[in-house]
Amino acid sequence: MDVALFSPSSLFAEEDDVTVDEETMETCNGYVERPHQFPEMELVIREFAFHQLNANFLWPGTFSFAEWLMHHREWIERRRCIELGSGTGALAIFLRKAMNLDITTSDYNDQEIEDNIAYNSTTNGITPALPHIKHSWGDAFPIPNPDWDLILASDILLYVKQYSNLIKSLSVLLKSYKPKDSQVGHLTKNEQGEGTEGLPWPAFLMSWRRRIGKEDETLFFTSCENAGLEVKHLGSRVYCIKLR
């Protein structure tokens, strides 16, 4: 796999509201630790100074996706979630703290990634650390009968060569879910008791802010459709993907 090297400062420069305060940055043993502002809270996140699979950065889409999820929290609360490509674990940590979400992190089969997510969990007051699953896309899922009803991901479309593996893992997770009687249907209720369109059970909800070519974007969604998945744009570069 060809891996491009990125500078954290150049990444964050893509978003006006994300800045790096060098006075608060701490670098130790190949890590960079600094505070990041999420909706209604600040998290201190340790990132790798370098990681060959770019699991070391808080990508710009994480912050906008966190904001979108908070605005649609009635769609997310009480779901049982797994996040793909968790990286530092920051989004999952935020969702656990903000809405006590039942969420499991996952990423490439790499012990350093798992250890760093555990570190970030405990640093931000989550004890024990969030559950984590090592899973390389396209490989057999490491636990029998995975049963999450919501899959989340942010900024994971960087490597075009991994699209087929990602879609293979998505299909397995979506097909493995067994609906409960109380979870049948695609409607939620708002505070007035009126029906409002919500998310399917199960569903894959993804967002990204990384700049990828239009051809790559089209390739991913077309590949999803060819694999029997249905794609719906929910706005703000957030997409819901479900079984057709």
Side-chain angles (χ1 to χ4, degrees), residues 214-229:
K214 188 66 176 178
E215 290 183 359
D216 294 342
E217 183 179 316
T218 300
L219 174 62
F220 176 73
F221 291 132
T222 300
S223 298
C224 285
E225 297 282 356
N226 291 340
L229 304 177

Side-chain angles (χ1 to χ4, degrees), residues 139-201:
D139 290 353
F141 207 77
I143 65 171
N145 305 316
D147 196 33
W148 290 278
D149 57 70
L150 183 61
I151 308 160
L152 299 175
S154 175
D155 278 339
I156 62 168
L157 299 184
L158 182 60
Y159 298 120
V160 177
K161 292 180 180 180
Q162 288 296 316
Y163 285 1
S164 61
N165 289 330
L166 171 58
I167 292 169
K168 181 178 178 180
S169 290
L170 281 178
S171 297
V172 168
L173 289 171
L174 291 170
K175 291 176 181 178
S176 297
Y177 173 70
K178 303 298 187 293
K180 283 60 172 184
D181 290 342
S182 62
Q183 297 168 347
V184 175
H186 296 181
L187 295 179
T188 60
K189 293 284 186 177
N190 61 20
E191 293 180 355
Q192 289 74 37
E194 300 169 349
T196 58
E197 186 178 359
L199 296 176
W201 299 71

